[in-house]
Amino acid sequence: MPTYTLDQLARLLTPGHTGDADILIHGVSSLEEATGDTIAFADDAKMLDKVMASQAAAVLVPVDFPDTGERLVWRVDKPRIAFLKITELYVKKHAREGIHEKASVDPAARLGEDVSVAPCAVISQQAVVGDRCRIGPGAFIGEGVVLGKECIIEANAAILPGAILGDRVIVHSNATISADGFGFVWMDDHHHKVPQIGRVEIGDDVEIGASSCIDRATLGATRIGKGTKIDNQVHVGHNCDIGEHVILVAQVGISGSVSVGDHSVLGGKVGVVGHLKIGSGTTVGGRSTVTKDIPDKVHYWGTPARDFRKAMREQAAAARLPDLVKQVKEMQKEIERLRALMTEQDDS
Amino acid sequence: MPTYTLDQLARLLTPGHTGDADILIHGVSSLEEATGDTIAFADDAKMLDKVMASQAAAVLVPVDFPDTGERLVWRVDKPRIAFLKITELYVKKHAREGIHEKASVDPAARLGEDVSVAPCAVISQQAVVGDRCRIGPGAFIGEGVVLGKECIIEANAAILPGAILGDRVIVHSNATISADGFGFVWMDDHHHKVPQIGRVEIGDDVEIGASSCIDRATLGATRIGKGTKIDNQVHVGHNCDIGEHVILVAQVGISGSVSVGDHSVLGGKVGVVGHLKIGSGTTVGGRSTVTKDIPDKVHYWGTPARDFRKAMREQAAAARLPDLVKQVKEMQKEIERLRALMTEQDDS
Amino acid sequence: MPTYTLDQLARLLTPGHTGDADILIHGVSSLEEATGDTIAFADDAKMLDKVMASQAAAVLVPVDFPDTGERLVWRVDKPRIAFLKITELYVKKHAREGIHEKASVDPAARLGEDVSVAPCAVISQQAVVGDRCRIGPGAFIGEGVVLGKECIIEANAAILPGAILGDRVIVHSNATISADGFGFVWMDDHHHKVPQIGRVEIGDDVEIGASSCIDRATLGATRIGKGTKIDNQVHVGHNCDIGEHVILVAQVGISGSVSVGDHSVLGGKVGVVGHLKIGSGTTVGGRSTVTKDIPDKVHYWGTPARDFRKAMREQAAAARLPDLVKQVKEMQKEIERLRALMTEQDDS
């Protein structure tokens, strides 16, 4: 773990910050958990009290943060980003660990330079593992799988045949890449398995959460575009085409052959019916069910997913529904009264 | 990987197809990804342009597909099925791999003939593994587990004590069979665990998706009938009785002691409350929540799940709700106007 | 497997029960699966026929159960609890298995007494494993992880760096503890990963289901209070604070920084938006979506989650909505008729 003096960190955040050159800073922390040797941050003036009470050696705050007197703060444009950069200084660099004697690497696998393979990881024949990849304990790299450079495959993840990963892809524990797509045809008296012989192509800088599953294509490829981030327990069915820089939040489920445009965001637990097309730059709110195509740059929500404001109006109306039912009943009576009255008048 | 000549494949699809006996076909592909040595298919006349543009050596099409001139097509009753059969010719047959030296097979386990056990797979004492089973890397076969013939247990799947599998069962990566059911009783000041000592019985030809969980019974058995196909990330609670040839799509969650009849289909993300009975031949649409018993051969949808058409009518009405609220408000005013008018007339 | 005579078991249930001292009882069973050497239970008079037909050596029944003649029953206050206690007598005690030669235990890990480490389990440097813990096949205990006493880590579970577990914690197969939280900031042209360097703190007697994921905190800790029970495929995001004796049913998904009070219950598939606070002793029904804070000791349901009875009234009203639409249409016509009539009268 590296250490820096407070002054060194201050100068990394130029211009104009200072700190004691003697205090060694050992890392970052939240305001509450700060000790005298950590840096913290606050991005809202509401946190003034916490900033004043914090033990942090210095606190990153916005330029317009209230006066803090003696309390050392560093005023920056974006405290969260500056904090992120300091955090990255302290993130542990993994040592080169080489290939553990209890790993199993097939002689016909091709490993790049400085690859780490943890105990009980298994790398199959014809697999290609790029430079500086780290294969975690118990992880599986199947026959013919290709990993780019600097991928991290966490403990017990399974990357099955058909998968081709770009550079710097992170696959978290217990995720499954390139399991068979779910395809059957009814034949005589049973569901007959359709062989799933396609690929999964994953772009650079993709991250895939724990227990997520990206199925291989029946034919052709299931694609995840570069820079896309996938949370835990997400399911992406066979032959999907997920764009670049997409966000799929936890427990999203996407049926087969769906396309999602670049920069779109699907909230937690969103479900998407098969063969649909979701545009680019579109947000689908959590728990929505997408039942037809969605255009670019819209905000959709609900089951079925529809324009967010429309859905909100309907939801607000639904909450008034029991009252509406009563009101209509009253009106019905009133109409009958009026009619009776008119008949009376008419008779009179 | 086997190869066939175009002519050999044509004759497998008799009657009346022909192909060049010299062209070696190396596999199947989509129309778009076809190369000169693959077979593709199209099941709709709309795909005519793609068929004409495809590099496929031959394309399987329906009998009534439009004329394709010089372009070699094979006209068949069911192109998808014919394509499936050709695909199966090319699916890689796994070589007998024997027991890898980095696998761990307890001396008191009983293995049939030609069983493959991959590196870091673990087979426990008293486990029985049928002929020609393939146990993937890192997979676990617990004490006393029984696997029939030709089962495929993929990488890092866990088959825990209590599980009894039929023949040709496929369990995908990171699935868990026979974990403890979720059962507790409140005792004094804590949730006290109810020992889960029952079984999981899985019939022949069942397929269980990646990261799916089939819990063992508290007492007795959780059952999955033969031919049932379960997608990824499905949860089946303890003591459920899932029938034969059932389809459970991704992310379905079934609480304890539910029964599902033969040939039923539960769409993606369906949830089922405990102790319910879903009939045979019934379809429950995606995202539904089953809150009471469902009869045979119906189509249900929604939360709570109800007759599909009824649910659709309600949904359509809900979309008109904001307008309805306005309309009722207008009517209310109109009634008041009428009443005022009548009172006037009455007074006049 | 221990055995007791019927008489020994009867005396364990004092006062006043008897049984044949010669019959050896080999375990417990359901009424239906009972054999002459098992104990079963029934907690409802409706089960009288099954009790009479059962082969169980003795059946635990409530004190006020109908007369069973010759059929041996033991009348107790709480048959289910008494049955649980007998069951526990028969639950297999795991033998001390020691450290399997195919496990991988780093020399710099610290293991307590009588720890079992199964084949292909991996324990990293600086990990601390308490007395009598059982680490299942293929399970991973990351660098610096702390396990209290008597934890059970099932096959292929992954406990990653940052995790600190109390005593008697059970983690089921393929669960992931302390994977990175899902945190990114948009920087220039990409989602930039926010380092996740916090902890996961899990209290005593917590149980975590198969394929569940508890993410580590960005900073600080994700907490699971003592005695909390988590079902399969549950997702708990970074920095959540889940109280004590909470129940999270299968497929619950909780976004980051949510707090859940002690003794609350979240039903299956409940989703919770980030940064919310759910009170203590509160129940949120299955499939609900929590979109704002929820107080203590309430019963909420729906999307958005709201008072259960209110939600039920709205749902009932929604079911009548198509009829309401028709009714309003009829009323509209009637109002027009009345107005026409009045105009007529007025003219007359």
Side-chain angles (χ1 to χ4, degrees), chain A residues 88 92 102 269 287 339, chain C residues 103 143 192 251 288-289 334:
Chain A
E88 287 175 342
K92 195 175 167 179
K102 284 188 172 163
K269 290 182 179 286
R287 180 80 74 184
R339 190 172 41 210
Chain C
E143 183 178 341
H192 191 89
Q251 300 181 330
S288 299
T289 310
E334 182 63 18

Side-chain angles (χ1 to χ4, degrees), chain B:
Chain B
M1 191 80 83
T3 51
Y4 299 83
T5 66
L6 192 56
D7 199 55
Q8 282 175 316
L9 292 177
R11 277 181 282 124
L12 286 169
L13 292 169
T14 51
H17 297 112
T18 57
D20 187 324
D22 290 332
I23 301 184
L24 286 177
I25 301 299
H26 289 94
V28 296
S29 69
S30 63
L31 288 167
E32 294 86 349
E33 295 199 333
T35 51
D37 59 358
T38 61
I39 303 295
F41 85 103
D43 53 8
D44 193 308
K46 288 179 197 163
M47 298 170 83
L48 177 60
D49 288 354
K50 285 189 177 174
V51 168
M52 298 308 292
S54 177
Q55 298 298 314
V59 182
L60 294 156
V61 297
V63 172
D64 59 356
F65 200 76
D67 184 61
T68 58
E70 298 285 294
R71 208 275 163 269
L72 181 63
V73 295
W74 292 335
R75 294 171 186 276
V76 293
D77 274 351
K78 296 181 177 171
R80 193 177 288 267
I81 303 291
F83 183 77
L84 169 63
K85 286 178 179 170
I86 293 180
T87 302
E88 287 175 343
L89 296 174
Y90 285 97
V91 170
K92 195 175 167 179
K93 300 292 176 291
H94 286 267
R96 292 180 198 169
E97 291 164 354
I99 297 171
H100 195 279
E101 60 173 9
K102 285 188 171 161
S104 173
V105 179
D106 191 280
R110 284 163 43 203
L111 272 58
E113 293 183 4
D114 294 329
V115 168
S116 296
V117 185
C120 301
V122 176
I123 302 181
S124 304
Q125 55 185 325
Q126 315 309 336
V128 178
V129 178
D131 298 346
R132 294 175 299 285
C133 282
R134 290 197 301 115
I135 312 301
F140 172 57
I141 310 298
E143 184 178 342
V145 165
V146 177
L147 307 187
K149 293 177 188 169
E150 297 168 25
C151 291
I152 300 174
I153 311 300
E154 291 283 4
N156 290 340
I159 319 291
L160 296 147
I164 301 167
L165 280 63
D167 297 338
R168 296 172 304 279
V169 172
I170 301 174
V171 179
H172 287 286
S173 284
N174 291 309
T176 303
I177 313 298
S178 202
D180 281 352
F182 194 65
F184 303 91
V185 291
W186 186 256
M187 206 178 274
D188 305 327
D189 58 355
H190 68 284
H191 299 291
H192 192 90
K193 184 175 176 68
V194 177
Q196 304 288 313
I197 58 176
R199 304 181 304 284
V200 172
E201 297 176 0
I202 296 181
D204 296 341
D205 299 299
V206 167
E207 185 162 342
I208 294 172
S211 282
S212 284
C213 301
I214 317 294
D215 279 359
R216 77 189 295 183
T218 311
L219 291 175
T222 303
R223 290 193 178 85
I224 310 287
K226 70 176 182 194
T228 285
K229 308 296 182 184
I230 298 178
D231 201 349
N232 295 339
Q233 300 174 343
V234 168
H235 164 74
V236 177
H238 60 90
N239 294 84
C240 283
D241 186 356
I242 311 298
E244 303 182 354
H245 308 293
V246 168
I247 297 278
L248 303 179
V249 179
Q251 300 180 331
V252 159
I254 305 184
S255 304
S257 301
V258 166
S259 73
V260 177
D262 300 343
H263 299 275
S264 286
V265 176
L266 273 57
K269 289 181 179 288
V270 164
V272 186
V273 168
H275 296 271
L276 298 182
K277 188 174 160 55
I278 296 176
S280 297
T282 274
T283 297
V284 182
R287 179 82 74 183
S288 299
T289 309
V290 181
T291 60
K292 50 186 184 181
D293 290 352
I294 298 187
D296 293 348
K297 295 185 183 168
V298 294
H299 184 186
Y300 266 44
W301 187 78
T303 296
R306 53 207 188 279
D307 176 77
F308 178 76
R309 281 165 307 178
K310 183 173 186 304
M312 285 295 117
R313 275 195 302 270
E314 288 173 27
Q315 189 175 283
R320 294 202 304 263
L321 193 49
D323 288 342
L324 187 71
V325 169
K326 274 187 218 159
Q327 186 186 0
V328 168
K329 195 178 288 182
E330 283 304 312
M331 285 166 62
Q332 184 80 57
K333 284 185 199 159
E334 183 62 18
I335 289 171
E336 277 154 26
R337 256 197 308 276
L338 288 178
R339 189 172 44 206
L341 212 58
M342 287 190 65
T343 315
E344 227 172 83
Q345 290 187 342
D346 212 34
D347 290 350
S348 65

Side-chain angles (χ1 to χ4, degrees), chain A residues 65-111:
Chain A
F65 199 77
D67 185 62
T68 57
E70 298 285 295
R71 207 275 164 267
L72 181 63
V73 294
W74 292 334
R75 293 172 187 274
V76 294
D77 274 351
K78 295 180 177 171
R80 193 177 288 266
I81 302 291
F83 183 78
L84 169 63
K85 286 178 178 171
I86 293 179
T87 303
E88 287 175 342
L89 295 175
Y90 286 96
V91 169
K92 195 175 167 179
K93 300 294 175 292
H94 286 268
R96 293 179 197 171
E97 291 164 354
I99 297 171
H100 195 279
E101 61 173 9
K102 284 188 172 163
S104 173
V105 179
D106 191 281
R110 284 164 40 205
L111 271 59

Side-chain angles (χ1 to χ4, degrees), chain C residues 140-168:
Chain C
F140 171 56
I141 310 298
E143 183 178 341
V145 165
V146 178
L147 307 187
K149 294 176 187 170
E150 297 168 25
C151 291
I152 300 174
I153 312 299
E154 292 282 5
N156 289 342
I159 320 290
L160 296 147
I164 301 168
L165 279 64
D167 297 337
R168 296 172 303 279

Side-chain angles (χ1 to χ4, degrees), chain A residues 214-228:
Chain A
I214 317 293
D215 279 359
R216 78 189 294 184
T218 311
L219 291 175
T222 303
R223 290 192 179 86
I224 311 288
K226 70 176 182 194
T228 285

